[in-house]
Amino acid sequence: MKDQINITYGLSAIKDLKAVLDSKQYSSVFILVDNNTKKHCLKGFLEYSSIIPTAVLTMPAGEENKNLTSCQSLWEELSAEGADRNSVLINLGGGVVTDLGGFVACTFKRGIDFYNIPTSLLAMVDASVGGKTGIDLGALKNQIGIIQEPQGVIIAAEWLKTLVHEELRSGFAEMLKHGLIANPDYWNTLKTISDLSAHNLEGFIKPSVAEKTKVVLEDPYEKGLRKILNFGHTLGHAIESYYLTSPDKARLLHGEAVAIGMVLEAYLATKCSGLRAATANEIKHTFKSFYPIITISSEDQKAIIDLLRHDKKNKAGRINFVLLKAIGKPDIDVEVPQELFAEAFAFYQSA
Ligand SMILES: NC(=O)c1ccc[n+]([C@@H]2O[C@H](COP(=O)([O-])OP(=O)(O)OC[C@H]3O[C@@H](n4cnc5c(N)ncnc54)[C@H](O)[C@@H]3O)[C@@H](O)[C@H]2O)c1
Ligand SMILES: [Zn+2]
């Protein structure tokens, strides 16, 4: 892992990418999109960058395609198109494309260079930065993967114009998380935004990336500090997995699931990390003001808790959480008594 992450901003950085690629003398250039970013972002990207790719690879959009089947098709396509160890892959898309494309690049011929051009807010402030690449294994999120920083990340808010509101709001959850785990002033600023529009959120991309980068550079392999980025994700991932694999249930986006996870874990923090009850309430009301409230029945809760047992952060069968002692003061490796889970769900559902 490098001691710097190469992140540049704006359309000017996209314009500069061709010269960067030329200087590296790649044997061939591939672009990975999903069907949405193919429709909304590819034309602009080719125009701004003047890059002429060897081939554009397309994967079906959506978390349900972040799996080995998609990887296999892409490896085969790369191979058929004559990609070699000196080829490069440009991932143009949301977190699914950057996570999966990164993994495909890291494993093809034992690893080729890749660049991330995040097009969703979530990928800009979170997924495309920090070197985690990977895919899901059945219902279990991000079980297979590699930590490898891309050669470069280029963040241009331009793409957000075509992103639907729900996806924008999903990315905003990670930004609120950055405030909660590291920066109370940032949390206080974000929570007062009244209209989650691309225009209103654009200016907060850089500060969020800065919070994430600071943590990742200090602890790239998640031995300690980096765990704080998992706040809300232990329960959030289990909720996301559960809803993803329950066809009769509403779909929950990553950020929507993590938003619920942060409320549940705020409650657990009042019991296990000394978070003030008033602060947990503030967190709950803030998330409830931005996100739809869903009803999680006791059967759903049981299934979600079953999924928790597969969390990668578990050690020797114990479920470890990142909680908060206060806003901006995370508490890592907290073991939570399981009987508190039902109380946490009741807290989330209460007014
Ligand atoms: N690697 C990490 O550190 C990390 C961190 C956070 C999240 N993630 C992963 O990121 C994924 C979630 O990312 P996401 O929310 O970007 O999901 P996503 O890639 O599925 O994108 C969301 C939707 O928006 C569409 N889209 C993307 N950009 C668009 C644009 N500009 N215009 C119109 N539509 C567009 C996509 O096609 C998709 O339908 C999850 O798989 C999660 O595990 C990874
Ligand atoms: Zn997340």
Side-chain angles (χ1 to χ4, degrees):
M1 178 74 58
K2 295 169 259 178
D3 57 1
Q4 278 223 318
I5 304 179
N6 178 15
I7 304 169
T8 46
Y9 289 89
L11 291 180
S12 59
I14 291 185
K15 291 197 170 89
D16 294 341
L17 180 61
K18 185 170 186 304
V20 175
L21 300 189
D22 287 347
S23 73
K24 299 206 175 181
Q25 299 188 316
Y26 290 116
S27 54
S28 45
V29 178
F30 295 89
I31 300 176
L32 174 64
V33 288
D34 68 19
N35 39 290
N36 293 323
T37 60
K38 182 176 193 168
K39 182 170 166 203
H40 296 292
C41 311
L42 181 63
K43 187 164 171 272
F45 177 77
L46 294 175
E47 269 171 28
Y48 299 132
S49 69
S50 310
I51 288 170
I52 300 168
T54 310
V56 174
L57 315 178
T58 308
M59 66 171 285
E63 184 70 31
E64 62 276 26
N65 297 303
K66 192 175 147 183
N67 57 28
L68 195 59
T69 309
S70 301
C71 293
Q72 177 151 4
S73 310
L74 294 171
W75 288 319
E76 284 169 359
E77 229 178 306
L78 283 170
S79 199
E81 294 285 354
D84 61 25
R85 290 199 59 188
N86 199 28
S87 299
V88 64
L89 181 66
I90 300 170
N91 300 315
L92 178 68
V96 168
V97 167
T98 57
D99 272 20
L100 184 140
F103 180 68
V104 164
C106 288
T107 46
F108 184 76
K109 308 247 180 200
R110 300 200 182 91
I112 61 171
D113 282 1
F114 68 103
Y115 288 79
N116 284 340
I117 320 284
T119 60
S120 69
L121 182 63
L122 194 136
M124 290 179 195
V125 298
D126 198 351
S128 69
V129 177
K132 283 191 181 177
T133 75
I135 55 171
D136 303 334
L137 184 66
L140 304 173
K141 293 260 309 157
N142 302 329
Q143 296 291 297
I144 311 295
I146 294 173
I147 295 188
Q148 170 79 59
E149 226 20 273
Q151 300 305 116
V153 181
I154 303 176
I155 299 177
E158 177 77 9
W159 311 119
L160 298 180
K161 287 181 188 157
T162 55
L163 196 67
V164 297
H165 174 74
E166 288 73 21
E167 296 291 353
L168 206 59
R169 190 175 63 186
S170 173
F172 184 60
E174 302 284 2
M175 299 165 91
L176 289 167
K177 180 193 77 180
H178 292 143
L180 286 176
I181 58 176
N183 189 335
D185 290 341
Y186 190 50
W187 161 257
N188 285 328
T189 306
L190 292 183
K191 76 178 197 203
T192 60
I193 298 177
S194 54
D195 172 24
L196 300 185
S197 63
H199 177 73
N200 288 347
L201 294 176
E202 237 178 68
F204 295 108
I205 295 172
K206 250 189 197 178
S208 259
V209 171
E211 293 297 349
K212 173 149 188 189
T213 314
K214 227 184 324 181
V215 173
V216 169
L217 285 176
E218 209 164 304
D219 176 25
Y221 296 104
E222 204 163 305
K223 301 284 180 231
L225 181 72
R226 185 169 181 166
K227 292 180 187 172
I228 69 173
L229 294 168
N230 296 321
F231 175 62
H233 282 63
T234 304
L235 276 155
H237 271 156
I239 292 169
E240 186 181 6
S241 294
Y242 177 64
Y243 282 84
L244 190 69
T245 50
S246 310
D248 52 323
K249 304 273 174 209
R251 283 297 307 271
L252 271 188
L253 300 178
H254 178 75
E256 291 172 335
V258 170
I260 300 170
M262 287 192 268
V263 175
L264 297 172
E265 293 181 17
Y267 176 83
L268 299 177
T270 63
K271 299 291 171 184
C272 304
S273 298
L275 184 73
R276 290 174 54 229
T279 311
N281 274 317
E282 173 192 328
I283 293 171
K284 174 169 80 172
H285 290 127
T286 302
F287 281 106
K288 283 187 155 181
S289 73
F290 288 118
Y291 296 87
I293 301 150
I294 61 162
T295 305
I296 306 174
S297 70
S298 51
E299 274 149 48
D300 296 338
Q301 292 175 24
K302 202 180 151 290
I304 290 164
I305 291 162
D306 274 348
L307 283 168
L308 269 186
R309 297 180 221 288
H310 293 283
D311 196 286
K312 292 188 294 305
K313 294 171 287 299
N314 296 348
K315 271 196 193 143
R318 291 200 310 248
I319 302 170
N320 279 314
F321 282 81
V322 178
L323 300 179
L324 299 174
K325 294 181 223 166
I327 292 178
K329 299 231 167 344
D331 193 10
I332 60 175
D333 291 331
V334 185
E335 212 180 313
V336 173
Q338 304 216 4
E339 55 276 17
L340 290 179
F341 294 151
E343 290 177 28
F345 280 106
F347 171 75
Y348 166 71
Q349 319 240 42
S350 66

